[in-house]
Amino acid sequence: ETLNDEALGASAKQLGKLKAEGVRMAVIHGAGSFGHQYAREYGVSKGIGPDGDPAYPLSDRLLEGAAKTRLSVTTLNKHVITALIASGVPGMTISPCPFIDTERKKLSESQLPQAAVDGTVELLKRGLVPVVHGDVVLDRAQGTAILSGDVWMVELCKELQARSAVFVTDVDGVFTAPPTQPGAALVREIFVDPKSGELELPGVSMDCASHDVTGGLKAKLESAAEVLLRAPSVEAVYIVRAGSEGAEQAAAGPDAGPGHDPAAEKGGVRPGPSA
């Protein structure tokens, strides 16, 4: 478990500035180096397997893994909330488990429960900032699963009618090759076919882009595409480096200032032509 204090602090300060300017927001974070190692070691995401019939109580090993994973992600969440509050952002955690469940790793009923949506709306109405994290959840078919922050991004953008979505990473965006490799170029815009949902990456195929796809980059791109397809209020999705000028501009939204075009400074994902 390694906390990137610098990136967290920089992001929190940027959000604090936006909050002071009256920008309404929800914050979603994954597990980073927290949680993943336990989930992988104990097979928490797989549970008893998709074809099993959960026998309760679950095995001691799976229970231990679920508990350790949850402890780890909530430890990270405490760091996030602490940084936000210190920067003037009144963040309030919404923990998925045990109130949001899945079935074979997919949201039950294919959407967030209405109570979760209503609760998020009420927090925003009062001026609080909802903070959601990836989590261990109860799965109807396999006992346990992992609900990622990327799923929350799609669902909240749809339910809250967000105008923009910002994925914050440790690099400047999506590159044609690993950023440390000579000749790697930032992909400024990625278009999504509004009919098929397929990604169009200028100058790079998805096969080529799979260089750092341990699930991370590919999952982010797929989530970005899904945001645009399922949340028509979203004008563009941005993938930016934590604490960068591009991150601040993207988080400020599409009306940040005259002539402002966040996609000119960072990687953006936009709907493609509908023709």
Side-chain angles (χ1 to χ4, degrees), residues 223-262:
S223 294
E226 195 171 358
V227 165
L228 291 171
L229 294 173
R230 296 185 55 199
S233 62
V234 174
E235 298 174 18
V237 181
Y238 304 105
I239 302 173
V240 296
R241 180 193 291 272
S244 65
E245 181 181 354
E248 184 171 0
Q249 292 169 336
D255 299 324
H260 171 73
D261 181 10

Side-chain angles (χ1 to χ4, degrees), residues 6-19 21 23 25-27 153 164-173 186 188 236-254 256 260-268:
E6 183 178 354
L8 176 57
S11 295
K13 287 179 181 178
Q14 289 179 338
L15 294 178
K17 180 181 177 182
L18 293 174
K19 177 64 176 172
E21 294 171 357
V23 175
M25 68 190 80
V27 175
M153 177 70 92
S164 61
V166 183
F167 287 89
V168 179
T169 73
D170 59 354
V171 294
D172 289 318
L186 177 67
R188 297 286 178 181
V237 181
Y238 304 105
I239 302 173
V240 296
R241 180 193 291 272
S244 65
E245 181 181 354
E248 184 171 0
Q249 292 169 336
H260 171 73
D261 181 10
E265 296 99 17
K266 69 198 71 63

Side-chain angles (χ1 to χ4, degrees), residues 175-186:
F175 288 79
T176 55
T180 55
Q181 183 175 311
L186 177 67

